[in-house]
Amino acid sequence: MAFNSYSLRNQFPILQQTAYGYPLAYLDNAATTQKPLFVLDAIQDYYRSFNANVHRGAHFLSDRATNRFEQARERVAQFIHAPENSHVIWSKGATEAINMVAYGLEHLLQQDDEILITSLEHHANLVPWQQLAFRTGARLRVLPLTSNGEWESEYQKYFTDRTRIFAATQVSNAIGVSTPLKTMIQEAKKYSAFTLVDGAQAVAHYPVDVEDIDCDFYVFSGHKMYGPTGIGVLYGKSQALEILIPYQTGGEMVRHVAYQATEFNILPYRLEAGTPHIEGAIGLAAACEFLIQQDRPALLAWEQKLANHVYTRLIKEGGIELYSPEKNTTLVSLSVPNIHTIDLNAYLDSKGVAVRAGSHCAHPLMAQLGVSGTLRASFACYNTLEEADQFCDVLLEAIEILGDD
Amino acid sequence: MTDFPTPCFPTPHAIKQQLQACRSKEETFKALVILSKALPRLSDEEKTEDNKIKGCESAVWLITVEDAGRRYFKADSDAKLMRGVLVAVISLVAGENQQTIQKMDLKSELAELNLSSYLTSSRSNGVLAILKTIGQN
Ligand SMILES: Cc1ncc(COP(=O)(O)O)c(C=O)c1O
């Protein structure tokens, strides 16, 4: 394989350290990824050379900052294949972007309308819809997907004439499966529902083409794709964005203000009240650039290979429940009967392996799987086969130590 | 009284020796696993919602029993390390009266036992909630 994770790794300074005397194996990438020098430098460069507020006072630095800020929007638009830059709205992250839509569409919902989500959602793509349903008298319905990410039978009956919003994740953060996204979106469109796709777990791994997915809204967070925290994106088709009531108002998003009334600005500014996260936008654009420069199919193949390697080793051991699929995923999600995942996590941590134990912000999905939580090892392009083996070795040791009564 | 004072617990002194001898996180982990075995498990009837401590990622139950002004504690958790921590905590307070327990600085006592990483107020951490429950009621 031409791809070499070792040379890529050198671009991530944080990975060159030990934890409690062991080589640090960072396998919690589905929570957040580490940042390459390219991103770190872009952020530094912003503060060192062109920090100023954007869209405001016309002066040398402000012009530069504004230009780079809008170039960042353009870069992100290209990255997800958005037809226009103004379709990219900055947010704090996926969570805020979903909330922007949930509030923005409230004025269209009526008693007994239906909001449909899937059974694989992160709380971020569940609670805002549930609360919207509470506020409006609409009903939250859940389209059951199997833990392989497949349809349950009779899925069509979940889409009805009352389905106003359909929100689904592209990839499950808890069990790593991809959903049948395009078919679901097509089905939702038959009923003229607004469609939102949670791409938080997709963007770091899969090329995203929002035009091809054909959803009304697509959301993701920068920090899960090698970019900084505190910045994310709400992409929307222009008619969809136009219909949203701004959920925050204030400066920057207005064209004219009088005490009697305010005229809002055009997109994208209409949905971006206040001074934006300029440094975040620039960092996120650098992360897109970083990914664009890579051989992305090779990165994905590598990440999937690591997950598959772990899966194959652990399935051979027996006594381990695996919830992630064998193939086509970049993470491994598991539990061991009679051993708490927190205990496994603590032992892995004590030997330098960073993973995540718990419900992964998906309580209903955990209930569907019949567990209180899982242990998740999630891979990024800089992870190595040695780290995958370190995870397996230490996990098996932990099971040995913890399973003796 | 049936099964109090707390049966077959290592003494606070023994626990202190064991835990302070740990040179690494890994050794502390192993010591806690051994300590956890000293904790008698609760019956299902004792694991009520009322006895459950909120704020822990693993389930933790704590029952206080008072006998002639002295306090004893029964506890359980579905996580083994937490059971080890419970043994350490309970050994510090078992058999004392309420005033004494309230005056104790359990946080620094646990820190002395190399358990400070269990005391950070991260989302997943319930040891502080346990200390609060022990000191409060
Ligand atoms: C599938 C999914 N959706 C949404 C989110 C929320 O992302 P953020 O916390 O960055 O807003 C996450 C993050 O864990 C996620 O994995």
Side-chain angles (χ1 to χ4, degrees):
Chain A
M1 196 179 289
F3 171 71
N4 179 347
S5 70
Y6 300 93
S7 67
L8 202 61
R9 211 177 157 80
N10 290 330
Q11 301 177 41
F12 291 81
I14 200 172
L15 298 172
Q16 272 109 62
Q17 62 182 305
T18 54
Y20 322 113
Y22 291 94
L24 171 68
Y26 185 79
L27 306 180
D28 192 18
N29 294 289
T32 199
T33 56
Q34 302 303 344
K35 324 302 172 198
L37 280 171
F38 191 70
V39 169
L40 302 180
D41 289 347
I43 295 169
Q44 262 235 352
D45 185 40
Y46 163 66
Y47 283 117
R48 281 177 172 272
S49 6
F50 59 99
N51 169 47
N53 209 330
V54 292
H55 311 302
R56 286 211 183 131
H59 53 73
F60 177 74
L61 285 183
S62 176
D63 281 352
R64 281 192 69 191
T66 306
N67 280 339
R68 294 289 286 273
F69 180 68
E70 288 307 328
Q71 277 168 17
R73 199 189 298 277
E74 184 176 353
R75 172 53 83 215
V76 171
Q78 285 167 356
F79 183 73
I80 57 171
H81 223 263
E84 308 236 2
N85 301 345
S86 63
H87 295 183
V88 170
I89 314 292
W90 302 115
S91 72
K92 278 199 296 187
T95 304
E96 190 185 48
I98 295 166
N99 276 283
M100 281 160 77
V101 178
Y103 280 90
L105 292 178
E106 182 168 339
H107 63 112
L108 297 177
L109 283 202
Q110 287 171 0
Q111 183 88 23
D112 298 328
D113 279 345
E114 292 175 359
I115 304 168
L116 185 63
I117 61 173
T118 83
S119 58
L120 299 185
E121 301 309 316
H122 185 282
H123 295 160
N125 201 24
L126 186 169
V127 184
W129 304 119
Q130 175 195 59
Q131 299 299 313
L132 173 63
F134 290 159
R135 294 195 300 275
T136 56
R139 280 208 302 151
L140 180 71
R141 299 195 68 195
V142 182
L143 174 70
L145 293 180
T146 67
S147 47
N148 299 322
E150 282 154 15
W151 300 103
E152 299 274 13
S153 52
E154 301 190 332
Y155 68 86
Q156 286 99 341
K157 74 170 191 226
Y158 290 90
F159 295 91
T160 76
D161 291 334
R162 304 238 52 161
T163 311
R164 300 305 311 274
I165 299 172
F166 173 65
T169 194
Q170 187 170 1
V171 176
S172 156
N173 66 307
I175 55 173
V177 292
S178 299
T179 57
L181 197 61
K182 282 182 73 172
T183 348
M184 292 192 296
I185 300 288
Q186 278 162 19
E187 196 65 27
K189 284 193 172 300
K190 288 188 198 158
Y191 300 91
S192 311
F194 284 98
T195 52
L196 178 142
V197 175
D198 175 356
Q201 291 297 335
V203 279
H205 309 287
Y206 305 91
V208 170
D209 183 334
V210 290
E211 282 199 295
D212 181 52
I213 299 172
D214 200 23
C215 50
D216 293 307
F217 302 104
Y218 188 93
V219 306
F220 60 98
S221 299
H223 70 95
K224 291 183 197 285
M225 51 165 285
Y226 311 105
T229 51
I231 187 80
V233 166
L234 166 63
Y235 154 84
K237 291 185 178 173
S238 44
Q239 325 84 281
L241 290 174
E242 291 290 359
I243 250 172
L244 296 182
I245 303 284
Y247 108 113
Q248 288 194 339
T249 52
E252 306 280 338
M253 53 83 67
V254 294
R255 188 178 271 157
H256 182 74
V257 178
Y259 288 120
Q260 296 75 15
T262 290
E263 189 191 337
F264 293 157
N265 206 337
I266 53 164
L267 287 171
Y269 316 113
R270 193 169 75 84
L271 296 169
E272 294 176 350
T275 297
H277 187 12
I278 308 167
E279 149 215 338
I282 283 163
L284 177 52
C288 293
E289 186 74 45
F290 166 78
L291 277 170
I292 289 166
Q293 283 168 7
Q294 310 301 321
D295 177 354
R296 293 198 73 194
L299 257 58
L300 176 61
W302 176 251
E303 293 157 352
Q304 291 180 338
K305 179 183 157 148
L306 294 177
N308 176 257
H309 177 77
V310 169
Y311 185 99
T312 315
R313 261 196 75 180
L314 297 182
I315 205 96
K316 276 201 206 112
E317 290 293 331
I320 297 173
E321 304 278 348
L322 288 145
Y323 303 102
S324 48
E326 180 180 359
K327 292 207 169 100
N328 301 321
T329 183
T330 60
L331 63 79
V332 177
S333 189
L334 62 90
S335 74
V336 181
N338 301 318
I339 300 183
H340 205 292
T341 52
I342 290 191
D343 290 336
L344 296 172
N345 190 1
Y347 190 70
L348 284 153
D349 174 50
S350 81
K351 297 199 115 181
V353 184
V355 292
R356 177 101 183 266
S359 62
H360 314 296
C361 297
H363 292 158
L365 173 58
M366 292 298 122
Q368 179 184 328
L369 298 173
V371 286
S372 63
T374 74
L375 187 79
R376 179 186 71 187
S378 50
F379 296 96
C381 61
Y382 42 67
N383 287 127
T384 64
L385 211 49
E386 284 78 6
E387 288 176 313
D389 277 322
Q390 190 183 347
F391 169 71
C392 295
D393 294 342
V394 181
L395 176 70
L396 296 173
E397 257 173 60
I399 294 172
E400 178 106 16
I401 296 170
L402 289 161
D404 66 346
D405 62 13
Chain B
M1 283 316 305
T2 48
D3 50 352
F4 289 96
T6 314
C8 58
F9 256 42
T11 63
H13 180 70
I15 291 177
K16 197 167 180 172
Q17 276 194 329
Q18 279 170 35
L19 288 174
Q20 285 188 336
C22 296
R23 293 273 156 268
S24 65
K25 245 195 144 171
E26 186 189 345
E27 285 180 18
T28 305
F29 179 96
K30 289 181 174 159
L32 284 173
V33 168
I34 293 169
L35 273 187
S36 73
K37 298 178 204 291
L39 191 71
R41 308 297 301 263
L42 291 181
S43 66
D44 286 346
E45 294 76 56
E46 290 171 306
K47 294 183 189 169
T48 63
E49 266 315 296
D50 275 356
N51 292 333
K52 206 166 176 178
I53 295 185
K54 311 252 161 351
C56 305
E57 185 134 327
S58 55
V60 176
W61 297 268
L62 186 82
I63 303 173
T64 311
V65 182
E66 201 152 325
D67 183 31
R70 292 168 184 278
R71 306 201 136 197
Y72 300 95
F73 299 90
K74 293 165 90 175
D76 203 351
S77 168
D78 53 2
K80 206 172 239 185
L81 281 203
M82 188 54 92
R83 295 205 291 277
V85 173
L86 285 167
V87 169
V89 175
I90 292 175
S91 79
L92 293 170
V93 292
E96 304 289 351
N97 64 35
Q98 191 188 4
Q99 286 85 342
T100 315
I101 294 176
Q102 267 171 356
K103 272 192 238 127
M104 290 169 106
D105 184 359
L106 291 172
K107 248 168 103 169
S108 22
E109 299 223 26
L110 290 181
E112 267 183 50
L113 301 179
N114 281 332
L115 296 181
S116 17
S117 68
Y118 294 90
L119 294 170
T120 50
S121 51
S122 80
R123 291 191 234 190
S124 60
N125 211 286
V127 177
L128 289 176
I130 295 169
L131 297 186
K132 222 171 139 199
T133 312
I134 285 184
Q136 260 171 4
N137 50 28

